Amino acid sequence: MYPGFRGHEAVQVGCALALDKNDWIMPYYRGTGLAITFGLDLYRAFLYWRGNPIGEKIPENINMTNFYVTIASQCPQAVGLALAGKLKGENYWVLTNFGDGATSEGEFYEALNLATIFNVNVIFVCENNGLAISVPSRRDIPMKKEGIGYQSINENLAQKFSNIIDSYRIDGTNVVEVYKTIKKIKSENKPAFVEAIVYRLSPHTTDEDQSKYLDMEKYTNITKMFDPVKRFESYLKSENIIDDETIDKFKAQIEEEIENAIKLAEETPIPSLKEIIANHY
Ligand SMILES: Cc1ncc(C[n+]2csc(CCOP(=O)(O)OP(=O)(O)O)c2C)c(N)n1
Ligand SMILES: [Mg+2]
């Protein structure tokens, strides 16, 4: 099962591009876009999501941990990694992403507290898509049935946490806004929380049916306005930076790259238990 990041592209690409190579990322399961923009090769990402243990091994030259599936468990660890950097006099930043649901976890609160006490270089990026699987956190998400309950009494998460940590509420479908926000945080040398508003443009994972709980007609109507790729494409076109011909050329190139990586991943056999242990996959 694969948790897609359609709708989250701008926030993930913007974050990765605003980081330096010696910074660290600690992505959550929906963070494949963050990882591949930061430098993880597509082949390895595909191996990982196909369940091939070779994909678990992150190349040494990429400062990233593996994808975290246990919600918010990476948050205190991100503070630890940032604290290690501070103690060693290495001023790298640690950026971790997670969903709105993660902000209901105890570990998230502990991490905010620790980050501010130690005053370390950590950026918590909440990709608020308004849903934790089928539990809404925002009133603009049209549910089939009302009354399921919300993640929080305060819909504005940045406001909610602003008493603890520097907090930003931004449009997570606008790649430029994301990039600028992360750069600004890095220049201020303080930990920060970013709430990036996005819409989930694919089901929670490939094995679930979101039409069971979402009012699909209304949902599709709202979300079509917030496709980050389309938004960036029209922005670039309106500024005369790119034309249709160049876009088509890019798309063809990218599709070829994807096809090649898929083919290679499909051809890579699952290692035996012996090989897994010997190679530390
Ligand atoms: C500690 C923990 N509890 C429950 C789950 C099951 N679970 C997987 S995804 C998910 C929803 C998380 O929603 P959110 O944090 O908003 O992230 P999104 O998937 O929307 O990006 C839950 C409850 C889990 N993986 N870990
Ligand atoms: Mg969510």
Side-chain angles (χ1 to χ4, degrees):
M1 124 183 120
Y2 168 70
F5 62 94
R6 284 286 290 115
H8 294 230
E9 294 95 332
V11 55
Q12 298 192 12
V13 168
C15 281
L17 294 181
L19 296 176
D20 295 313
K21 207 171 155 41
N22 69 325
D23 292 332
W24 278 84
I25 57 164
M26 299 177 82
Y28 79 136
Y29 51 86
R30 206 178 297 292
T32 309
L34 178 71
I36 57 179
T37 314
F38 193 62
L40 184 74
D41 53 294
L42 276 182
Y43 163 65
R44 222 165 263 277
F46 286 140
L47 280 184
Y48 178 85
W49 288 114
R50 289 172 61 80
N52 189 322
I54 298 173
E56 300 259 348
K57 196 163 179 173
I58 308 292
E60 299 239 326
N61 62 339
I62 302 170
N63 285 350
M64 77 172 257
T65 59
N66 231 317
F67 299 98
Y68 283 77
V69 177
T70 308
I71 311 282
S73 61
Q74 79 275 27
C75 295
Q77 295 179 23
V79 178
L81 182 55
L83 179 60
K86 184 172 181 168
L87 294 176
K88 288 200 286 187
E90 296 170 17
N91 285 325
Y92 57 76
W93 281 81
V94 181
L95 183 145
T96 184
N97 64 346
F98 46 84
D100 41 297
T103 66
S104 299
E105 288 283 353
E107 276 175 297
F108 171 71
Y109 289 83
E110 293 168 34
L112 286 192
N113 197 43
L114 281 173
T116 49
I117 287 170
F118 293 135
N119 194 29
V120 288
N121 289 351
V122 63
I123 307 174
F124 300 101
V125 178
C126 173
E127 299 183 13
N128 183 350
N129 58 18
L131 287 163
I133 310 181
S134 55
V135 179
S137 67
R138 296 200 328 239
R139 272 69 175 173
D140 63 320
I141 304 293
M143 306 303 290
K144 234 177 193 164
K145 273 194 225 147
E146 290 300 325
I148 296 170
Y150 288 88
Q151 285 283 334
S152 173
I153 54 162
N154 190 344
E155 201 183 345
N156 185 330
L157 297 175
Q159 185 188 57
K160 178 176 175 176
F161 299 118
S162 62
N163 265 348
I164 308 175
I165 191 165
D166 280 2
S167 298
Y168 299 79
R169 190 170 218 249
I170 60 168
D171 178 352
T173 67
N174 181 336
V175 68
V176 179
E177 191 175 337
V178 176
Y179 178 86
K180 284 185 177 165
T181 306
I182 302 298
K183 284 284 187 200
K184 176 176 187 290
I185 292 169
K186 285 186 69 175
S187 73
E188 290 188 347
N189 274 319
K190 272 189 290 177
F193 171 76
V194 178
E195 179 191 15
I197 306 297
V198 295
Y199 289 87
R200 203 181 72 196
L201 298 184
S202 51
H204 174 69
T205 53
T206 42
D207 72 340
E208 70 114 40
D209 177 4
Q210 60 182 357
S211 70
K212 289 215 166 103
Y213 52 86
L214 286 177
D215 179 333
M216 283 315 289
E217 207 183 306
K218 282 192 192 151
Y219 190 71
T220 321
N221 223 1
I222 299 170
T223 55
K224 69 176 176 218
M225 315 273 294
F226 294 98
D227 183 324
V229 179
K230 284 194 188 141
R231 284 194 71 186
F232 193 51
E233 225 176 76
S234 22
Y235 166 72
L236 292 176
K237 275 162 74 173
S238 70
E239 295 287 315
N240 286 325
I241 296 171
I242 208 165
D243 56 17
D244 282 325
E245 204 185 317
T246 320
I247 292 173
D248 289 345
K249 218 166 72 191
F250 275 145
K251 280 188 180 158
Q253 258 173 25
I254 293 163
E255 264 165 38
E256 195 186 329
E257 218 180 296
I258 293 171
E259 288 304 325
N260 289 341
I262 290 176
K263 191 166 173 284
L264 209 60
E266 279 175 349
E267 286 167 3
T268 306
I270 303 272
S272 68
L273 191 57
K274 245 186 182 168
E275 286 168 322
I276 290 173
I277 293 166
N279 295 313
H280 303 289
Y281 289 137

